[in-house]
Amino acid sequence: MAADGQPSDVTPVPAVDACGGMLTLRTWSWGSVASRVDHQGVVRDHGLAHHEVHAREEDVFECSQLHEDVIPWRNGPAVQSFERQPSGQWQTSEVNSDLYPELAAAGSLAAALEQLAADLGVDLVVVPGGWGALVSAGIAASVPERKPLSVHIGAESRWFGVSGWSQGVELITGSTPDLADVVRAGVAWGQGRSLRELRAELPFLHSSERAEAHDRGPAAVVELQWRLMREQAAEAPDFPEFGALVEAAHVERRLRELYVFSSHWTLGFSSCTGFPFENEVAIAPSYGGGPYRVLKHPHADVISEAATAEEAVALAVTRLPAGLGPAVTGTAK
């Protein structure tokens, strides 16, 4: 980190994948995300070095936005000035015309997308992006559960980043220097093409293991998440209390059927598989010989305490609503 607080070099940042609980490496910038997000994979940010965010599960937000406290850094000539709008969003008033001549000519990313779609003879409905029309946009989908495909631009090199979300899960992500690729991706995404079809037609797009599980249904997502959580516990031998908690919770059928995630080592259990979660109960492991703690959700007030992981799990089960079944697809919203 430089003396003025700006990142001094470009590095991937470890974070928990949005609404996945998977340990991934993701680099966040002023409205752009890296092109590849894979479980425990390294993400490169294509030359951006604006501001990097460490985030745990419930602190993660969708790729089209940054937390309100994160201020985008100026970094080189690509983006000349940022202004904070009344809505609280940061927007840039200039764009590098050498990198993005079509944006400079059209006046915005949204307008450039619409013009190119017309030239290609395809229908495209462009909606506002999270960082203003100049550098961000969304491409609407006709499939109800799919959110608009989020599109952002790179700052120091030419690339367009995209991210597609459905039912609280990021299904596709990628980057390309070709705006026509973005238009084609927006059309295919909007038509409801499958992940396999999207990747086959547009090789710059990628999907995570969790996105693939989402395609198979909520039971597959829950099963994957528990496998990853148990792997995470096995990789933390210096914190056996966490491992004991994960295994004790996995033995209990009612908890095993819920979507499990962790936040600062506290296990949360959701009745839906998408973010934001529907928190039903949470359990914090023992620290330094202290008790295990049962909470309504991670970082909430303590409901009860127990001496062992098994006792804490039993107490947590009593807090579950009667008749609560396995986790379902969707979000708490």
Side-chain angles (χ1 to χ4, degrees), residues 82 84 99 134 178 232 235 244 249 253 258 303:
F82 281 100
R84 191 158 197 173
L99 293 177
L134 184 59
D178 189 349
Q232 179 184 346
E235 293 168 359
R253 177 187 60 82
L258 298 177
I303 297 172

Side-chain angles (χ1 to χ4, degrees), residues 224-295:
L224 169 66
Q225 190 62 16
W226 273 105
R227 175 174 65 79
L228 297 175
M229 191 62 66
R230 296 179 81 187
E231 290 176 1
Q232 179 184 346
E235 293 168 359
D238 295 336
F239 195 3
E241 295 85 356
F242 178 72
L245 175 58
V246 171
E247 291 306 313
H250 185 259
V251 169
E252 172 53 54
R253 177 187 60 82
R254 294 195 68 194
L255 293 182
R256 190 173 61 248
E257 291 179 340
L258 298 177
Y259 180 93
V260 64
F261 62 96
S262 67
S263 178
H264 303 286
W265 303 106
T266 295
L267 290 186
F269 302 89
S270 170
S271 54
C272 63
T273 61
F275 183 85
F277 301 122
E278 186 65 63
N279 292 292
E280 300 296 347
V281 73
I283 312 173
S286 168
Y287 293 95
Y292 289 81
R293 293 163 292 147
V294 179
L295 313 93

